[in-house]
Amino acid sequence: MSTLALSTETTVIEEQLAAARAAIAERTTVTNVVLTACGGSYAVMMPNEYFLSTTATTLETHAFNAAEFTARSSKLVGENTVVILCSHSGNTPETVAAAEHARSLGALTVAFTHELESPLAQASEYVIGYQHGPEKSESYVAPALLLRLVAGLLDDREGTTLSASIDDAVAQLPTLVGDVRHAHTAPADAYGAQYKNEKLIYTMAAGSNYGTAYSFAICLLQEMQWIHSQAIHAGEYFHGPFEVTDRDVPFIALVGLDETRAIEQRAVDFVTQHSDRTLVIDANTFGLDSVDESVRGIVSHLLFGPALRAYADALADHRGHPLSVRRYMWRMEY
Amino acid sequence: MSTLALSTETTVIEEQLAAARAAIAERTTVTNVVLTACGGSYAVMMPNEYFLSTTATTLETHAFNAAEFTARSSKLVGENTVVILCSHSGNTPETVAAAEHARSLGALTVAFTHELESPLAQASEYVIGYQHGPEKSESYVAPALLLRLVAGLLDDREGTTLSASIDDAVAQLPTLVGDVRHAHTAPADAYGAQYKNEKLIYTMAAGSNYGTAYSFAICLLQEMQWIHSQAIHAGEYFHGPFEVTDRDVPFIALVGLDETRAIEQRAVDFVTQHSDRTLVIDANTFGLDSVDESVRGIVSHLLFGPALRAYADALADHRGHPLSVRRYMWRMEY
């Protein structure tokens, strides 16, 4: 289904992004934004909910699983709403239904997908085709393009001046991601060798990095490695989950650069003291000096993804369990 | 710290509830509601976020962990915001800080707590003291009172007529909860005997019941039984988590009566087919015929809590691990 020919050219992507941004800017009555998708694509929405909610002075933002969004049928969704969706294949039934639901209420719909001919692309007014696979540019993957659209939306509707810094950071991603991958290749290999027999690995983060921790827990560990997991919110850790901490319980904890860093650091200080099996990844090591300081916090999640992917690849290798194997997904009706 | 003498009299609670409701009604400029707390108290907020968000035509609602709420420092929080908080002891530092943060921005603060002299009670403008412990009335516990306040808020600010039905349902709780407890005592004991050696039990729900599934996962299983868990959103299950499903992986799945019932049922249909260790609790068995049909969905979470508690009590009994035991909480600085 997915072919290189369908990996959209960067000039086309820029046109699609500009058209969606202009359409949002032109709808001057917009009062709220909904970000909705399923699984890994929903996780990509979460940092953008954080970015919008911590920056906006007028716009209200919510992120929902797409099935939940449609079932809720909120009366606050209508002509004054921008609904942003994402599905890699563009075939996710719940996300297509969410686009149709939103559009039937008069909301402005913008979809991110790898497949420009897909049902989601057809159901949505504006479509941005992101790149994927070995030929992709790291500046044209879904999380990077979504962040650029949201920065543009904030500038146009909230009077901020974020786009230039975000666009500049995204343009640097091929180098930044390459450096992060390189830095984590050897540590990830050692991690894979040491943790290959784990039945359960928790992840932990807060703020704009919670989505990346969630994605790693549900997609990489549960879905692709059949390893039990939960993405623990670092602020919730001390109010229940921390009682499962023990010397042999593995945690992967993220420490980012946004307003919730102190929350994440407090959880890391505890978990590293009481478990011998912790991996801490700190965005301070991502070499973000060349990124405008004001956006380093929100940009960090674009690097946590590739960093964590190195650990998933290494776990898959040492476990002899390729990330592509599924026992239910794509193999049966459900 | 907690004593029966501090379990507030029902006449006083009614006065506190009425005062908070009137204060919210009088602030006619209110445009958004924030529900914030930590852990189990945060979980109690979640169904009310659902109730507000699915009912409101003007008010925007968000629920946050209290540390995250303060760190976000949203510019949308101010004089036009009602911030509702909850802490059992009233001593939770993050929740007290959230009340102080909200109040400094001019928001109207309403706190639920068992301790009327606590820091949270002092930090908040309006306080509702809920009952707890063996002498409590099921009509005066935190989730019931919070739901009544929210129904009143909706009636006063959104023109709905929900309070009468909600108040009536809450008044029936002593009977309804008693019946649910009785119905689940024997099944829970059998469950405890059969599942006492499990290292991990997942929970699953959507919509207004997700909070109860979350509470059971992080407070009852992780905190009080040191059993690994994750509260899987039923709509997310098919987009990652379902790949960990196997014949011997235990799930506790809730099926409620709100707009997300079909989402929960779809997940139950799959998990019961592929795991032999599932417990499904359906709100259809809660005997809610005497509750106004229009509010049965949102009322269900008030019964899922006591139903699940029977299973926690039985697990604790068969495992010889009392629910009151902690290894970190209350035992050290963190």
Side-chain angles (χ1 to χ4, degrees), chain A residues 65 68 214 233 236 245 328, chain B residues 65 68 214 233 236 245 328:
Chain A
N65 163 272
E68 171 109 13
Y214 177 75
H233 187 284
E236 290 283 279
T245 309
Y328 308 119
Chain B
N65 162 271
E68 171 108 12
Y214 177 75
H233 186 284
E236 289 283 281
T245 309
Y328 307 119

Side-chain angles (χ1 to χ4, degrees), chain B residues 89-91 96 100 115 117-124:
Chain B
S89 66
N91 273 326
V96 176
E100 290 167 349
E115 304 295 341
E117 309 297 319
S118 64
L120 179 63
Q122 286 160 16
S124 306

